[in-house]
Amino acid sequence: MSDPQRVAVFTIPSHRSFADALAAGLIAHFGKDPLALAQGRVLLPNNRAVRSVTEAFVRASGSGLLLPRLIPVGDPELDERVGRALDRIDEREPIPMAIGPDERLLRLASIVPGEGTAERFRLAADLARTLDALLVEEIDPRRLKEAVAETNGLAHHWEHSLARLQLIYENWPHLLREQGAIDLAERRNRLLHRLADQWKDEPPPGFTVAAGITTAAPAVAALVARVARMPEGSVVLPGLWLPNIFPEVEWEALGPDEDGRGEAAHPQFHLKLLLERLGVARSEVRAWRWSGSSASSPFRARAVANAMAAPDFSHKWEILPPSERRLSGIRLAELPDPASEAQAIALALREALETPGKTTALVTPDRQLAGRVASLLARWGIDADDSAGKPLSASPAGTLLLGIAGAAAEELAPVPLLALLKHPLVGGEGDDRLAWLDAVRELDLKLRGPRPAAALAGLDGKLASVREWQRLRPSVEGIDALLRDPIPLARFAQGLASAAQSLAGDRAWAGPDGRMAAELLAELEASEAAATLTVGADDALPLLRQLLDRWAVRPPYGGHPRIFIWGLLEARLQRADLMVLGGLSEGTWPALPAPDPWLPPKVRAVLGMPTLETRIGLAAHDFASALGAPEVLITRARRDAKSPTVASRFLLRLDAISGGLPRDARLERLTRALDDPGSPQPVDRPAPAPQADQRPDRISVTAVDRLKADPFAFYAQAILKLRSLDPVDADHSARWKGEAVHTVLQEWLQHDDCEPDELRNRAERLLRDEAIHPMLRALWAPRLLEAIDWIAAMERENQAQGRRPLAAEATGETILAGVTVHGRVDRIDRLSNAGLAIVDYKTGQPPTQKAVTEGFALQLGLLGLIGRAGGFEGVSGDPQAFEYWSLARYRGQFGRLMCPDKDMQPGEFLDHAFRNFADAAGRWLTGSEPFTAKLNPAYAPYGDYDQLMRLEEWYGRK
């Protein structure tokens, strides 16, 4: 039987490692008998604490031993973990099983309002947290109703939320009872209360220790109180400040008062609340005699306690003696940005490994910072043991499912489709993977430019002649119709599984993340609630991401044995020789309180539930405990991605009491130097001079102008064979518009014999193309049709003068100045005097007359030279007219005729083109002139190769 007069409550001070001290004490007390440890049990807060204590026993044992049963009181299967303690309660009704967490969320999502399933799922997740908070605190539905009635001045939206919350809180248990299940929090409460009742009359054999538990939830407190009074029971609290470091007057001032208010943001408030629910005074708590490794000086613990004093007592800092303000062993590094902070932490962790046996850990609530540090440690081949893992959505299996959902939601648009096809799990392994990637790269090139029509039909039309598409197509067929219409979530999960199997085979389900993904999809397929929720293209991706984010993939053992990355929860019970506390900025540590959209703070206060300030108090306790390591490095970034940051209130307190923490200037200097490229060394203007055999002996008429204006751009294009690629899923560019209009005009000549009345019909058919964005169609159509009408009018006038179209898109070549010149002419007309007219269509502005005169617009002249030499098959005659037909706006209208030879005598235009070409060819093609970048920048407006030539480094520099 329990002895109500006997109370055994201990605390391990924060300057000691809790897990190591606990293991050392239990081994010292029970280790002489090899079976004594194995007959006992240790109640711990969670599974991560079980792992920490297990490792501490291994470190402390020095050899093999039989461990006590380690029982996490937060485990969903608590009855199984406890063992046979509950088996003898036969007269009571068995406790129903708990509903699965995902099934619970899906059922809640089916009863909450929202725009789309993803939004309803998000609201359901908030609702689930609120219900859990009410259940953990064992709030009766009637008490909730009374608290709402007692709270005045609530906004209308709060009244609406509370009315719905009350309805759900009252009826939710009945809905679960129909399924033979209860909430996990409710099941845990019942198990803990039954266990406390059982142990009151029949304490278990062997010792029982409740260690590291800080929550004051009623069911947990009832069990811990029972353990404290059992004949062989004891309670070990982490980091309770005893009167020697925290005066009684400050302890009593923490509260809570008669209204339940107190210094909830103080690091000791939650422990005081727990002691009150245990019915134990602080004076009855004794210090744990044993110590483990990685302990700091007790003087630092006193200084930390003084630094974290409540606001009403912070005035004592002015009179504290130096010994109670000293924070030796703690240093600070402030870095300019998050990337630098991560680099500094990685350097500090790496440096610690130079000391044999030294352990080090990063503790931070910032998961992005933790991920950056883990990536930077890989520079030295260090695989850090990150106990928090990463969300399933960031794992290979999770990203594969997200890729499938994204491609289906966007109807196989090029960007999500290519991202999916390039996924590392897709396409097999070894040679099969290489062949797959080759096919995907070819597809990537073909899908550059504007997006094709939607779904498989659009891709088939775009890629009909691409052989690689026929190979890849079967793997994505199942995605095409997946989200064409809204479908039940269960069927969506089935479609995801089928598509993943088709794309990746069994590799989709390999490894811890693959098994988790398979388990999640199986749960969704079997879920009755998932069969009632509808998923459409708009919310499939956010909903799936929310589902995947709930699953954490934790790495198996095998990381570096002396470097760890811990979240606040993982760090509570364990310690390293060097603790790096990262992200000490306000809003990160402590984190911004997450708002509760269902339960307002006023009602929380009336109900006596933990407030948002309580979370700050827990973060403060974690911070104070982590400061107990022998060495502590605190880091923060002075600004984040958006704006300057403010130092954490905890850090400001340490600075204030100590007169300023010592800065680790050496670490900051190393961080800057590690990736410092040195002083910038701008390049000079490039002017490559390849050998004669590397210079081309063929050139297109359109490349001549580039050669003269920007020889380096010509060199990159013609000799290095570099081409700029359009982005995938790009907007309709000026180039695309030009090609589309050229096609219309070519088909008009070839099939309609330039009948003026048919041209507008062809242009209108172009504008009706589904691939053209409606906004582009609306803006472009008036301009294009006006210019098309101008061309039709030009054609009527030409035909009236006896001019007839002869050829369209004709290719030809000839040799000029020892170089083969080739080109394509948009149109050739036969004049009434049997001469030829060379026409070039321009959807933009034609070249200026000045550019023609100075020899930087030679295209029409060179085409004329090819025509005069008979270079166009089936076309003979003497070119006499040279015309640019521009569709751009000019003097208030769309459409303009520009004749570059208007100021020249007959034949002079062709001679002018030949002289300029011969000069350019002699200098760069058959000569040895270097290809100088931007030689004539006024005539080199295009910037395809500006980055390659590093233009910004030398242009305009003296």
Side-chain angles (χ1 to χ4, degrees):
M1 299 232 354
S2 299
D3 182 2
Q5 303 302 318
R6 176 190 179 279
V7 176
V9 181
F10 301 87
T11 184
I12 297 176
S14 57
H15 65 277
R16 300 179 187 170
S17 170
F18 183 92
D20 290 311
L22 176 68
L26 293 179
I27 291 175
H29 197 272
F30 300 102
K32 296 178 181 179
D33 182 356
L35 297 180
L37 268 178
Q39 292 174 350
R41 65 208 52 78
V42 180
L43 305 181
L44 295 164
N46 49 53
N47 284 309
R48 299 177 189 178
V50 170
R51 176 178 172 178
S52 300
V53 172
T54 301
E55 293 172 346
F57 271 113
V58 172
R59 288 192 295 269
S61 66
S63 61
L65 51 75
L66 296 176
L67 294 182
R69 179 174 296 205
L70 304 179
I71 305 168
V73 296
D75 196 288
E77 308 299 333
L78 179 63
D79 44 350
E80 297 181 8
R81 299 294 291 266
V82 170
R84 292 184 168 274
L86 298 175
D87 290 350
R88 297 179 55 194
I89 310 178
D90 299 328
E91 68 277 9
R92 296 189 181 183
E93 180 183 355
I95 300 176
M97 295 303 296
I99 186 174
D102 288 330
E103 178 69 13
R104 181 193 190 211
L105 276 179
L106 294 171
R107 290 185 179 276
L108 288 174
S110 66
I111 63 175
V112 299
E115 295 293 332
T117 302
E119 175 64 13
R120 293 168 67 183
F121 191 86
R122 186 188 64 79
L123 290 173
D126 292 331
L127 175 60
R129 284 189 287 270
T130 302
L131 292 177
D132 284 340
L134 292 168
L135 289 170
V136 166
E137 293 298 321
E138 301 182 6
I139 304 296
D140 187 272
R142 291 172 294 181
R143 178 66 186 119
L144 174 61
K145 189 172 184 179
E146 293 170 359
V148 173
E150 295 172 15
T151 307
N152 299 319
L154 289 174
H156 176 71
H157 74 278
W158 279 125
E159 294 178 352
H160 180 74
S161 295
L162 284 168
R164 188 173 294 276
L165 175 63
Q166 292 179 67
L167 182 63
I168 294 174
Y169 193 48
E170 291 176 5
N171 293 286
W172 178 244
H174 304 293
L175 296 175
L176 291 181
R177 196 174 301 121
E178 294 175 358
Q179 304 296 323
I182 59 176
D183 276 311
L184 176 60
E186 174 63 21
R187 188 173 195 274
R188 189 182 295 122
N189 286 346
R190 294 189 191 183
L191 286 171
L192 292 174
H193 281 302
R194 284 196 183 184
L195 193 58
D197 292 343
Q198 171 81 11
W199 285 354
K200 178 180 180 181
D201 300 322
E202 299 181 35
F207 69 88
T208 303
V209 177
I213 297 173
T214 60
T215 177
V220 176
L223 179 60
V224 173
R226 180 65 57 223
V227 171
R229 292 169 173 82
M230 285 164 46
E232 293 187 77
S234 58
V235 175
V236 184
L237 300 176
L240 176 69
W241 295 345
L242 296 177
N244 62 322
I245 64 171
F246 194 55
E248 190 66 25
V249 62
E250 295 186 39
W251 173 262
E252 291 299 330
L254 292 180
D257 56 21
E258 296 179 356
D259 296 328
R261 298 185 179 90
E263 294 289 343
H266 193 277
Q268 294 291 295
F269 177 81
H270 63 290
L271 291 175
K272 188 172 190 293
L273 184 61
L274 175 60
L275 286 178
E276 289 188 357
R277 291 189 176 179
L278 297 181
V280 177
R282 186 175 64 147
S283 58
E284 298 178 89
V285 180
R286 291 167 285 170
W288 188 257
R289 292 193 298 112
W290 296 273
S291 176
S293 60
S294 304
S296 65
S297 166
F299 294 103
R300 188 195 295 172
R302 185 177 294 111
V304 171
N306 288 327
M308 306 301 284
D312 290 342
F313 297 93
S314 59
H315 61 275
K316 70 178 182 180
W317 294 347
E318 300 176 358
I319 59 174
L320 284 175
S323 61
E324 297 189 13
R325 303 160 60 101
R326 189 176 299 119
L327 293 170
S328 302
I330 301 177
R331 64 189 195 274
L332 171 67
E334 287 192 292
L335 289 308
D337 50 61
S340 300
E341 182 184 9
Q343 188 68 269
I345 293 172
L347 277 170
L349 299 179
R350 173 64 183 86
E351 185 180 34
L353 296 183
E354 296 300 312
T355 303
K358 186 174 184 178
T359 59
T360 179
L362 165 64
V363 181
T364 179
D366 187 344
R367 292 305 308 158
Q368 186 175 17
L369 176 63
R372 277 181 163 173
V373 172
S375 298
L376 290 169
L377 286 171
R379 162 185 289 193
W380 299 290
I382 297 173
D383 182 14
D385 185 2
D386 188 350
S387 58
K390 60 182 178 181
L392 182 55
S393 61
S395 70
T399 54
L400 174 63
L401 297 181
L402 290 171
I404 294 171
E410 296 194 45
E411 299 181 288
L412 298 181
V415 170
L417 175 63
L418 290 171
L420 175 60
L421 295 177
K422 295 175 185 178
H423 191 279
L425 294 180
V426 174
E429 299 179 276
D431 292 340
D432 291 339
R433 171 71 174 168
L434 294 176
W436 176 275
L437 290 178
D438 286 341
V440 174
R441 291 188 188 100
E442 186 63 28
L443 202 65
D444 184 307
L445 294 174
K446 299 299 182 182
L447 288 175
R448 297 277 166 168
R451 177 186 298 192
L456 273 179
L459 291 172
D460 287 339
K462 174 82 172 180
L463 306 170
S465 60
V466 180
R467 178 175 54 85
E468 288 79 2
W469 170 237
Q470 304 310 317
R471 177 187 175 185
L472 303 177
R473 190 183 190 280
S475 299
V476 299
E477 285 179 347
I479 306 174
D480 183 39
L482 183 58
L483 290 172
R484 187 171 297 168
D485 299 305
I487 59 173
L489 177 57
R491 189 143 59 89
F492 175 60
Q494 184 179 10
L496 284 176
S498 176
Q501 183 69 34
S502 175
L503 285 163
D506 293 340
R507 298 181 69 207
W509 323 115
D513 58 320
R515 290 189 289 272
M516 281 188 180
E519 184 179 347
L520 170 62
L521 295 181
E523 286 186 8
L524 292 176
E525 289 183 49
S527 169
E528 295 180 6
T532 64
L533 291 171
T534 301
V535 180
D538 291 338
D539 58 2
L541 197 58
L543 174 61
L544 180 60
R545 188 178 298 278
Q546 290 180 67
L547 286 166
L548 293 172
D549 282 342
R550 292 177 48 79
W551 295 61
V553 182
R554 293 186 175 86
Y557 289 94
H560 197 283
R562 293 195 285 135
I563 287 186
F564 311 96
I565 298 178
W566 295 328
L568 302 189
L569 191 62
E570 293 85 9
R572 282 178 186 172
L573 304 185
Q574 48 193 339
R575 189 67 46 78
D577 298 323
L578 168 64
M579 297 280 276
V580 181
L581 312 185
L584 259 295
S585 295
E586 198 69 15
T588 301
W589 194 347
L592 293 173
D596 186 344
W598 293 93
L599 199 61
K602 287 184 178 180
V603 178
R604 277 181 171 270
V606 172
L607 291 171
M609 296 175 63
T611 62
L612 301 179
E613 287 75 17
T614 305
R615 301 174 191 173
I616 298 176
L618 292 172
H621 184 261
D622 294 333
F623 177 71
S625 298
L627 291 175
E631 293 181 58
V632 178
L633 170 64
I634 299 174
T635 68
R636 66 173 295 266
R638 286 190 287 269
R639 66 170 297 118
D640 57 20
K642 299 178 181 178
S643 60
T645 60
V646 177
S648 167
R649 64 189 75 180
F650 307 149
L651 176 56
L652 292 176
R653 281 174 167 268
L654 296 185
D655 258 343
I657 196 172
S658 64
L661 291 174
R663 263 55 176 178
D664 195 333
R666 173 177 166 274
L667 181 61
E668 296 174 13
R669 186 171 62 254
L670 284 174
T671 301
R672 290 192 301 269
L674 183 61
D675 294 317
D676 184 7
S679 301
Q681 300 292 330
V683 300
D684 292 325
R685 170 185 271 179
Q691 298 296 321
D693 59 347
Q694 295 177 318
R695 297 179 183 242
D697 56 4
R698 286 176 58 86
I699 188 171
S700 70
V701 295
T702 55
V704 175
D705 298 341
R706 185 190 296 269
L707 172 63
K708 293 194 62 180
D710 189 352
F712 180 88
F714 174 84
Y715 166 82
Q717 183 184 61
I719 299 178
L720 298 183
K721 306 297 184 184
L722 300 177
R723 298 288 188 276
S724 64
L725 296 176
D726 289 334
V728 177
D729 208 352
D731 292 332
H732 291 76
S733 62
R735 177 181 174 183
W736 181 90
K737 294 178 186 177
E739 291 176 352
V741 172
H742 275 68
T743 300
V744 167
L745 295 172
Q746 177 186 358
E747 294 177 351
W748 173 57
L749 187 149
Q750 292 175 343
H751 303 297
D752 300 329
D753 198 23
C754 286
E755 176 59 40
D757 296 335
E758 292 295 327
L759 181 56
R760 187 179 180 95
N761 294 334
R762 287 194 173 274
E764 289 175 343
R765 283 199 293 272
L766 166 65
L767 293 169
R768 288 195 295 268
D769 190 339
E770 293 182 0
I772 297 179
H773 193 280
M775 179 64 74
L776 173 63
R777 184 182 296 113
L779 296 176
W780 188 34
R783 297 173 170 85
L784 176 62
L785 293 178
E786 182 178 337
I788 286 293
D789 290 341
W790 174 82
I791 290 179
M794 280 282 296
E795 185 61 31
R796 292 188 184 95
E797 182 179 345
N798 287 342
Q799 292 183 9
Q801 296 174 359
R803 177 169 165 174
R804 293 291 182 267
L806 189 61
E809 300 298 324
T811 59
E813 63 180 47
T814 190
I815 296 177
L816 299 175
V819 176
T820 301
V821 181
H822 62 91
R824 180 188 299 269
V825 63
D826 290 342
R827 173 171 170 171
I828 301 176
D829 287 356
R830 178 72 69 187
L831 300 175
S832 58
N833 62 359
L836 300 179
I838 307 296
V839 177
D840 188 65
Y841 302 128
K842 294 290 185 186
T843 50
Q845 295 290 347
T848 64
Q849 190 63 49
K850 181 179 179 182
V852 175
T853 302
E854 295 189 6
F856 291 99
L858 301 178
Q859 179 183 358
L860 281 186
L862 293 175
L863 290 171
L865 290 171
I866 295 174
R868 187 169 66 180
F872 297 113
E873 185 177 356
V875 177
S876 62
D878 183 29
Q880 298 177 0
F882 306 92
E883 300 173 350
Y884 288 109
W885 291 15
S886 171
L887 278 65
R889 188 181 184 88
Y890 180 71
R891 294 182 179 178
Q893 66 178 15
F894 289 92
R896 173 194 178 190
L897 174 65
M898 189 270 187
C899 299
D901 61 338
K902 64 178 182 178
D903 296 329
M904 300 183 184
Q905 298 297 321
E908 185 180 349
F909 182 69
L910 295 182
D911 293 341
H912 170 78
F914 179 80
R915 286 195 306 273
N916 279 276
F917 173 75
D919 175 67
R923 294 171 63 185
W924 290 292
L925 302 183
T926 59
S928 59
E929 185 92 1
F931 291 87
T932 306
K934 297 289 183 183
L935 188 60
N936 294 283
Y939 299 106
Y942 301 108
D944 290 346
Y945 302 97
D946 286 359
Q947 184 178 10
L948 181 64
M949 67 177 66
R950 296 165 69 169
L951 178 70
E952 299 295 333
E953 297 184 33
W954 55 263
Y955 188 72
R957 178 165 55 88
K958 294 181 179 179

